[in-house]
PDB file of all heavy atoms in Angstrom:
ATOM      1  N   GLU A   1     116.281 118.486  87.891  1.00 86.00           N
ATOM      2  CA  GLU A   1     116.253 117.726  86.627  1.00 86.00           C
ATOM      3  C   GLU A   1     116.436 116.229  86.819  1.00 86.00           C
ATOM      4  O   GLU A   1     116.637 115.492  85.835  1.00 86.00           O
ATOM      5  CB  GLU A   1     117.282 118.279  85.638  1.00 86.00           C
ATOM      6  CG  GLU A   1     117.067 119.744  85.283  1.00 86.00           C
ATOM      7  CD  GLU A   1     118.025 120.238  84.220  1.00 86.00           C
ATOM      8  OE1 GLU A   1     118.948 119.458  83.863  1.00 86.00           O
ATOM      9  OE2 GLU A   1     117.879 121.385  83.766  1.00 86.00           O
ATOM     10  N   SER A   2     116.367 115.750  88.057  1.00 91.00           N
ATOM     11  CA  SER A   2     116.443 114.319  88.338  1.00 91.00           C
ATOM     12  C   SER A   2     115.163 113.841  88.940  1.00 91.00           C
ATOM     13  O   SER A   2     114.511 114.598  89.712  1.00 91.00           O
ATOM     14  CB  SER A   2     117.623 114.004  89.286  1.00 91.00           C
ATOM     15  OG  SER A   2     118.866 114.375  88.655  1.00 91.00           O
ATOM     16  N   LEU A   3     114.751 112.619  88.611  1.00 96.00           N
ATOM     17  CA  LEU A   3     113.489 112.120  89.161  1.00 96.00           C
ATOM     18  C   LEU A   3     113.632 111.913  90.663  1.00 96.00           C
ATOM     19  O   LEU A   3     114.521 111.196  91.141  1.00 96.00           O
ATOM     20  CB  LEU A   3     113.123 110.787  88.479  1.00 96.00           C
ATOM     21  CG  LEU A   3     111.826 110.145  88.949  1.00 96.00           C
ATOM     22  CD1 LEU A   3     110.632 110.986  88.421  1.00 96.00           C
ATOM     23  CD2 LEU A   3     111.708 108.694  88.487  1.00 96.00           C
ATOM     24  N   ALA A   4     112.692 112.495  91.431  1.00 96.00           N
ATOM     25  CA  ALA A   4     112.653 112.302  92.868  1.00 96.00           C
ATOM     26  C   ALA A   4     111.614 111.276  93.284  1.00 96.00           C
ATOM     27  O   ALA A   4     111.724 110.654  94.335  1.00 96.00           O
ATOM     28  CB  ALA A   4     112.344 113.634  93.561  1.00 96.00           C
ATOM     29  N   GLY A   5     110.617 111.086  92.436  1.00 96.00           N
ATOM     30  CA  GLY A   5     109.595 110.090  92.746  1.00 96.00           C
ATOM     31  C   GLY A   5     108.440 110.197  91.781  1.00 96.00           C
ATOM     32  O   GLY A   5     108.332 111.189  91.006  1.00 96.00           O
ATOM     33  N   LEU A   6     107.575 109.210  91.801  1.00 96.00           N
ATOM     34  CA  LEU A   6     106.378 109.280  90.932  1.00 96.00           C
ATOM     35  C   LEU A   6     105.303 108.342  91.453  1.00 96.00           C
ATOM     36  O   LEU A   6     105.579 107.418  92.205  1.00 96.00           O
ATOM     37  CB  LEU A   6     106.693 108.984  89.476  1.00 96.00           C
ATOM     38  CG  LEU A   6     107.268 107.651  89.045  1.00 96.00           C
ATOM     39  CD1 LEU A   6     106.172 106.568  88.919  1.00 96.00           C
ATOM     40  CD2 LEU A   6     107.999 107.767  87.730  1.00 96.00           C
ATOM     41  N   ARG A   7     104.079 108.599  91.012  1.00 98.00           N
ATOM     42  CA  ARG A   7     102.936 107.734  91.224  1.00 98.00           C
ATOM     43  C   ARG A   7     102.476 107.285  89.864  1.00 98.00           C
ATOM     44  O   ARG A   7     102.491 108.039  88.902  1.00 98.00           O
ATOM     45  CB  ARG A   7     101.831 108.485  91.972  1.00 98.00           C
ATOM     46  CG  ARG A   7     100.520 107.654  92.089  1.00 98.00           C
ATOM     47  CD  ARG A   7      99.508 108.386  92.923  1.00 98.00           C
ATOM     48  NE  ARG A   7      99.936 108.552  94.293  1.00 98.00           N
ATOM     49  CZ  ARG A   7      99.854 107.571  95.230  1.00 98.00           C
ATOM     50  NH1 ARG A   7      99.354 106.404  94.904  1.00 98.00           N
ATOM     51  NH2 ARG A   7     100.280 107.794  96.438  1.00 98.00           N
ATOM     52  N   TYR A   8     102.084 106.014  89.785  1.00 98.00           N
ATOM     53  CA  TYR A   8     101.623 105.513  88.498  1.00 98.00           C
ATOM     54  C   TYR A   8     100.463 104.550  88.694  1.00 98.00           C
ATOM     55  O   TYR A   8     100.316 103.928  89.742  1.00 98.00           O
ATOM     56  CB  TYR A   8     102.744 104.801  87.736  1.00 98.00           C
ATOM     57  CG  TYR A   8     103.408 103.652  88.474  1.00 98.00           C
ATOM     58  CD1 TYR A   8     103.097 102.332  88.187  1.00 98.00           C
ATOM     59  CD2 TYR A   8     104.379 103.905  89.461  1.00 98.00           C
ATOM     60  CE1 TYR A   8     103.723 101.282  88.838  1.00 98.00           C
ATOM     61  CE2 TYR A   8     104.992 102.834  90.127  1.00 98.00           C
ATOM     62  CZ  TYR A   8     104.649 101.530  89.787  1.00 98.00           C
ATOM     63  OH  TYR A   8     105.250 100.480  90.469  1.00 98.00           O
ATOM     64  N   THR A   9      99.643 104.439  87.689  1.00 98.00           N
ATOM     65  CA  THR A   9      98.495 103.528  87.708  1.00 98.00           C
ATOM     66  C   THR A   9      98.607 102.585  86.510  1.00 98.00           C
ATOM     67  O   THR A   9      99.207 102.961  85.485  1.00 98.00           O
ATOM     68  CB  THR A   9      97.151 104.260  87.661  1.00 98.00           C
ATOM     69  OG1 THR A   9      97.084 105.065  86.470  1.00 98.00           O
ATOM     70  CG2 THR A   9      96.978 105.165  88.871  1.00 98.00           C
ATOM     71  N   THR A  10      98.017 101.404  86.639  1.00 98.00           N
ATOM     72  CA  THR A  10      98.135 100.396  85.581  1.00 98.00           C
ATOM     73  C   THR A  10      96.831  99.724  85.338  1.00 98.00           C
ATOM     74  O   THR A  10      95.972  99.575  86.245  1.00 98.00           O
ATOM     75  CB  THR A  10      99.193  99.313  85.951  1.00 98.00           C
ATOM     76  OG1 THR A  10      98.700  98.580  87.091  1.00 98.00           O
ATOM     77  CG2 THR A  10     100.525  99.941  86.280  1.00 98.00           C
ATOM     78  N   VAL A  11      96.652  99.274  84.091  1.00 98.00           N
ATOM     79  CA  VAL A  11      95.558  98.355  83.711  1.00 98.00           C
ATOM     80  C   VAL A  11      96.220  97.217  82.980  1.00 98.00           C
ATOM     81  O   VAL A  11      96.866  97.412  81.961  1.00 98.00           O
ATOM     82  CB  VAL A  11      94.506  99.055  82.845  1.00 98.00           C
ATOM     83  CG1 VAL A  11      93.447  98.019  82.435  1.00 98.00           C
ATOM     84  CG2 VAL A  11      93.865 100.238  83.546  1.00 98.00           C
ATOM     85  N   MET A  12      96.110  95.991  83.549  1.00 98.00           N
ATOM     86  CA  MET A  12      96.725  94.821  82.969  1.00 98.00           C
ATOM     87  C   MET A  12      95.685  94.032  82.204  1.00 98.00           C
ATOM     88  O   MET A  12      94.615  93.693  82.755  1.00 98.00           O
ATOM     89  CB  MET A  12      97.341  93.952  84.025  1.00 98.00           C
ATOM     90  CG  MET A  12      98.370  94.637  84.926  1.00 98.00           C
ATOM     91  SD  MET A  12      99.131  93.521  86.149  1.00 98.00           S
ATOM     92  CE  MET A  12     100.069  94.703  87.141  1.00 98.00           C
ATOM     93  N   ARG A  13      95.977  93.707  80.938  1.00 98.00           N
ATOM     94  CA  ARG A  13      95.066  92.963  80.122  1.00 98.00           C
ATOM     95  C   ARG A  13      95.709  91.688  79.591  1.00 98.00           C
ATOM     96  O   ARG A  13      96.906  91.667  79.322  1.00 98.00           O
ATOM     97  CB  ARG A  13      94.589  93.800  78.922  1.00 98.00           C
ATOM     98  CG  ARG A  13      93.715  94.975  79.287  1.00 98.00           C
ATOM     99  CD  ARG A  13      93.205  95.739  78.075  1.00 98.00           C
ATOM    100  NE  ARG A  13      92.251  96.768  78.416  1.00 98.00           N
ATOM    101  CZ  ARG A  13      92.576  98.013  78.806  1.00 98.00           C
ATOM    102  NH1 ARG A  13      93.851  98.356  78.858  1.00 98.00           N
ATOM    103  NH2 ARG A  13      91.642  98.874  79.117  1.00 98.00           N
ATOM    104  N   ARG A  14      94.880  90.679  79.468  1.00 98.00           N
ATOM    105  CA  ARG A  14      95.281  89.366  78.938  1.00 98.00           C
ATOM    106  C   ARG A  14      94.298  88.988  77.856  1.00 98.00           C
ATOM    107  O   ARG A  14      93.127  88.847  78.121  1.00 98.00           O
ATOM    108  CB  ARG A  14      95.308  88.330  80.056  1.00 98.00           C
ATOM    109  CG  ARG A  14      95.661  86.913  79.645  1.00 98.00           C
ATOM    110  CD  ARG A  14      95.456  85.985  80.841  1.00 98.00           C
ATOM    111  NE  ARG A  14      95.843  84.646  80.545  1.00 98.00           N
ATOM    112  CZ  ARG A  14      95.583  83.605  81.349  1.00 98.00           C
ATOM    113  NH1 ARG A  14      94.947  83.811  82.540  1.00 98.00           N
ATOM    114  NH2 ARG A  14      95.942  82.373  81.036  1.00 98.00           N
ATOM    115  N   ALA A  15      94.803  88.886  76.624  1.00 97.00           N
ATOM    116  CA  ALA A  15      93.934  88.617  75.484  1.00 97.00           C
ATOM    117  C   ALA A  15      92.777  89.617  75.403  1.00 97.00           C
ATOM    118  O   ALA A  15      91.630  89.289  75.082  1.00 97.00           O
ATOM    119  CB  ALA A  15      93.391  87.198  75.510  1.00 97.00           C
ATOM    120  N   GLY A  16      93.072  90.870  75.737  1.00 97.00           N
ATOM    121  CA  GLY A  16      92.081  91.936  75.676  1.00 97.00           C
ATOM    122  C   GLY A  16      91.197  92.082  76.894  1.00 97.00           C
ATOM    123  O   GLY A  16      90.457  93.068  77.010  1.00 97.00           O
ATOM    124  N   GLN A  17      91.242  91.144  77.813  1.00 98.00           N
ATOM    125  CA  GLN A  17      90.415  91.170  79.002  1.00 98.00           C
ATOM    126  C   GLN A  17      91.206  91.750  80.200  1.00 98.00           C
ATOM    127  O   GLN A  17      92.367  91.425  80.390  1.00 98.00           O
ATOM    128  CB  GLN A  17      89.922  89.756  79.380  1.00 98.00           C
ATOM    129  CG  GLN A  17      89.128  89.078  78.304  1.00 98.00           C
ATOM    130  CD  GLN A  17      87.782  89.763  78.056  1.00 98.00           C
ATOM    131  OE1 GLN A  17      87.166  90.281  79.002  1.00 98.00           O
ATOM    132  NE2 GLN A  17      87.307  89.721  76.830  1.00 98.00           N
ATOM    133  N   VAL A  18      90.550  92.621  80.967  1.00 98.00           N
ATOM    134  CA  VAL A  18      91.233  93.192  82.107  1.00 98.00           C
ATOM    135  C   VAL A  18      91.457  92.142  83.170  1.00 98.00           C
ATOM    136  O   VAL A  18      90.527  91.490  83.647  1.00 98.00           O
ATOM    137  CB  VAL A  18      90.409  94.369  82.680  1.00 98.00           C
ATOM    138  CG1 VAL A  18      91.076  94.884  83.989  1.00 98.00           C
ATOM    139  CG2 VAL A  18      90.304  95.519  81.673  1.00 98.00           C
ATOM    140  N   VAL A  19      92.716  91.951  83.537  1.00 98.00           N
ATOM    141  CA  VAL A  19      93.117  90.979  84.565  1.00 98.00           C
ATOM    142  C   VAL A  19      93.242  91.647  85.926  1.00 98.00           C
ATOM    143  O   VAL A  19      92.869  91.075  86.955  1.00 98.00           O
ATOM    144  CB  VAL A  19      94.428  90.289  84.175  1.00 98.00           C
ATOM    145  CG1 VAL A  19      94.966  89.396  85.272  1.00 98.00           C
ATOM    146  CG2 VAL A  19      94.290  89.503  82.885  1.00 98.00           C
ATOM    147  N   ALA A  20      93.828  92.832  85.931  1.00 98.00           N
ATOM    148  CA  ALA A  20      94.083  93.501  87.202  1.00 98.00           C
ATOM    149  C   ALA A  20      94.248  95.018  86.926  1.00 98.00           C
ATOM    150  O   ALA A  20      94.619  95.440  85.839  1.00 98.00           O
ATOM    151  CB  ALA A  20      95.341  92.968  87.870  1.00 98.00           C
ATOM    152  N   THR A  21      93.933  95.787  87.957  1.00 98.00           N
ATOM    153  CA  THR A  21      94.201  97.215  87.955  1.00 98.00           C
ATOM    154  C   THR A  21      94.920  97.561  89.246  1.00 98.00           C
ATOM    155  O   THR A  21      94.777  96.870  90.264  1.00 98.00           O
ATOM    156  CB  THR A  21      92.894  98.037  87.842  1.00 98.00           C
ATOM    157  OG1 THR A  21      92.045  97.681  88.992  1.00 98.00           O
ATOM    158  CG2 THR A  21      92.173  97.740  86.570  1.00 98.00           C
ATOM    159  N   GLY A  22      95.697  98.616  89.215  1.00 98.00           N
ATOM    160  CA  GLY A  22      96.407  98.989  90.440  1.00 98.00           C
ATOM    161  C   GLY A  22      97.297 100.182  90.243  1.00 98.00           C
ATOM    162  O   GLY A  22      97.362 100.764  89.168  1.00 98.00           O
ATOM    163  N   GLY A  23      98.008 100.515  91.302  1.00 98.00           N
ATOM    164  CA  GLY A  23      98.891 101.650  91.254  1.00 98.00           C
ATOM    165  C   GLY A  23      99.888 101.598  92.405  1.00 98.00           C
ATOM    166  O   GLY A  23      99.745 100.809  93.329  1.00 98.00           O
ATOM    167  N   ALA A  24     100.866 102.445  92.346  1.00 98.00           N
ATOM    168  CA  ALA A  24     101.885 102.505  93.386  1.00 98.00           C
ATOM    169  C   ALA A  24     102.578 103.870  93.325  1.00 98.00           C
ATOM    170  O   ALA A  24     102.468 104.611  92.323  1.00 98.00           O
ATOM    171  CB  ALA A  24     102.891 101.394  93.192  1.00 98.00           C
ATOM    172  N   SER A  25     103.319 104.208  94.384  1.00 98.00           N
ATOM    173  CA  SER A  25     104.145 105.397  94.382  1.00 98.00           C
ATOM    174  C   SER A  25     105.442 105.098  95.072  1.00 98.00           C
ATOM    175  O   SER A  25     105.500 104.246  95.975  1.00 98.00           O
ATOM    176  CB  SER A  25     103.422 106.560  95.051  1.00 98.00           C
ATOM    177  OG  SER A  25     103.294 106.341  96.430  1.00 98.00           O
ATOM    178  N   PHE A  26     106.495 105.790  94.688  1.00 98.00           N
ATOM    179  CA  PHE A  26     107.800 105.601  95.294  1.00 98.00           C
ATOM    180  C   PHE A  26     108.619 106.876  95.186  1.00 98.00           C
ATOM    181  O   PHE A  26     108.307 107.765  94.378  1.00 98.00           O
ATOM    182  CB  PHE A  26     108.564 104.420  94.626  1.00 98.00           C
ATOM    183  CG  PHE A  26     108.922 104.688  93.187  1.00 98.00           C
ATOM    184  CD1 PHE A  26     110.095 105.352  92.831  1.00 98.00           C
ATOM    185  CD2 PHE A  26     108.098 104.220  92.170  1.00 98.00           C
ATOM    186  CE1 PHE A  26     110.404 105.564  91.509  1.00 98.00           C
ATOM    187  CE2 PHE A  26     108.406 104.454  90.834  1.00 98.00           C
ATOM    188  CZ  PHE A  26     109.572 105.137  90.506  1.00 98.00           C
ATOM    189  N   THR A  27     109.633 106.967  95.994  1.00 97.00           N
ATOM    190  CA  THR A  27     110.631 107.988  95.846  1.00 97.00           C
ATOM    191  C   THR A  27     111.973 107.289  95.636  1.00 97.00           C
ATOM    192  O   THR A  27     112.129 106.122  95.962  1.00 97.00           O
ATOM    193  CB  THR A  27     110.734 108.888  97.101  1.00 97.00           C
ATOM    194  OG1 THR A  27     110.901 108.052  98.272  1.00 97.00           O
ATOM    195  CG2 THR A  27     109.491 109.739  97.253  1.00 97.00           C
ATOM    196  N   CYS A  28     112.935 107.988  95.023  1.00 96.00           N
ATOM    197  CA  CYS A  28     114.219 107.401  94.769  1.00 96.00           C
ATOM    198  C   CYS A  28     115.294 108.375  95.249  1.00 96.00           C
ATOM    199  O   CYS A  28     115.070 109.586  95.324  1.00 96.00           O
ATOM    200  CB  CYS A  28     114.398 107.049  93.294  1.00 96.00           C
ATOM    201  SG  CYS A  28     113.975 108.359  92.142  1.00 96.00           S
ATOM    202  N   MET A  29     116.452 107.796  95.582  1.00 95.00           N
ATOM    203  CA  MET A  29     117.554 108.584  96.131  1.00 95.00           C
ATOM    204  C   MET A  29     118.872 108.046  95.647  1.00 95.00           C
ATOM    205  O   MET A  29     118.989 106.854  95.327  1.00 95.00           O
ATOM    206  CB  MET A  29     117.464 108.588  97.643  1.00 95.00           C
ATOM    207  CG  MET A  29     117.693 107.257  98.288  1.00 95.00           C
ATOM    208  SD  MET A  29     117.275 107.236 100.058  1.00 95.00           S
ATOM    209  CE  MET A  29     115.498 107.041  99.979  1.00 95.00           C
ATOM    210  N   THR A  30     119.864 108.875  95.657  1.00 95.00           N
ATOM    211  CA  THR A  30     121.211 108.433  95.286  1.00 95.00           C
ATOM    212  C   THR A  30     121.748 107.474  96.332  1.00 95.00           C
ATOM    213  O   THR A  30     121.301 107.407  97.471  1.00 95.00           O
ATOM    214  CB  THR A  30     122.169 109.621  95.143  1.00 95.00           C
ATOM    215  OG1 THR A  30     122.382 110.181  96.464  1.00 95.00           O
ATOM    216  CG2 THR A  30     121.619 110.694  94.217  1.00 95.00           C
TER     217      THR A  30
END
């Protein structure tokens, strides 16, 4: 029930125009 990690993608917009796209993944630990 604790987050071990995730992958995510993004679309960045500025005034409605796509500026950048990308993604990343990480794990987390105590």
Side-chain angles (χ1 to χ4, degrees):
E1 300 184 354
S2 298
L3 182 71
L6 62 80
R7 173 175 295 280
Y8 58 101
T9 59
T10 66
V11 178
M12 304 183 187
R13 292 183 174 85
R14 177 186 183 190
Q17 301 292 328
V18 175
V19 173
T21 58
S25 68
F26 65 86
T27 53
C28 49
M29 66 191 80
T30 67

